[in-house]
């Protein structure tokens, strides 16, 4: 990944279930991880590099955390993959100006969203 001066470069998430987070993102989004000891695992080549660390704290909008949002060209298909691999759908698909999206909690406790500008299939 090219490093750009004063641009976002890396993001880190706490996880209450590091193996669960890794397995979920590997199956649903095809992420690969590199472990750095028992309590940290990094991912790359996902638009933004980052990692997960073992923690009692996780990220959610309810707690005031930033929300990272994936893009999908087939929102229903992505929702089905998220749900079938242990993601908890916390906001079903809804419309907003410019598209549709849903929110989910991954097995390690962090909230993410997926959006699409494609109409419902």
């Amino acid at each position: 990944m090219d490093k750009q001066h004063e641009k976002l470069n890396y993001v880190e998430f706490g996880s209450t279930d590091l193996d669960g987070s890794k397995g979920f993102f590997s199956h649903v989004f095809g992420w690969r991880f590199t472990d750095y000891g028992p309590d940290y695992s990094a991912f790359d080549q996902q638009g933004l590099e980052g990692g997960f660390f073992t923690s009692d704290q996780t990220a959610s909008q309810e707690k005031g955390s930033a929300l990272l949002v994936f893009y999908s060209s087939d929102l229903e298909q992505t929702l089905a993959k998220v749900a079938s691999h242990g993601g908890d759908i916390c906001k079903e698909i809804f419309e907003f100006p410019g598209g549709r999206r849903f929110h989910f909690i991954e097995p390690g406790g962090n909230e993410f969203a997926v959006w699409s500008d494609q109409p419902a299939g």
Side-chain angles (χ1 to χ4, degrees), residues 24-111:
F24 175 82
F25 284 98
S26 294
H27 287 103
V28 176
F29 297 106
W31 290 13
R32 294 174 303 156
F33 288 88
T34 302
D35 292 334
Y36 294 96
D39 294 318
Y40 194 90
S41 192
F43 58 87
D44 61 8
Q45 299 180 17
Q46 299 308 316
L48 183 63
E49 294 182 7
F52 287 89
F53 59 93
T54 301
S55 175
D56 293 337
Q57 301 294 314
T58 58
S60 71
Q61 279 192 313
E62 184 177 276
K63 297 176 189 173
S65 297
L67 178 69
L68 275 74
V69 183
F70 292 87
Y71 175 79
S72 173
S73 60
D74 188 335
L75 199 60
E76 286 76 11
Q77 178 189 45
T78 303
L79 184 143
K81 283 178 27 181
V82 165
S84 71
H85 289 287
D88 178 24
I89 308 303
C90 58
K91 289 186 185 176
E92 294 289 339
I93 294 175
F94 64 94
E95 292 187 15
F96 65 94
R100 303 175 305 128
R101 78 182 197 194
F102 69 90
H103 293 210
F104 67 91
I105 310 283
E106 54 90 11
N110 296 289
E111 181 180 357

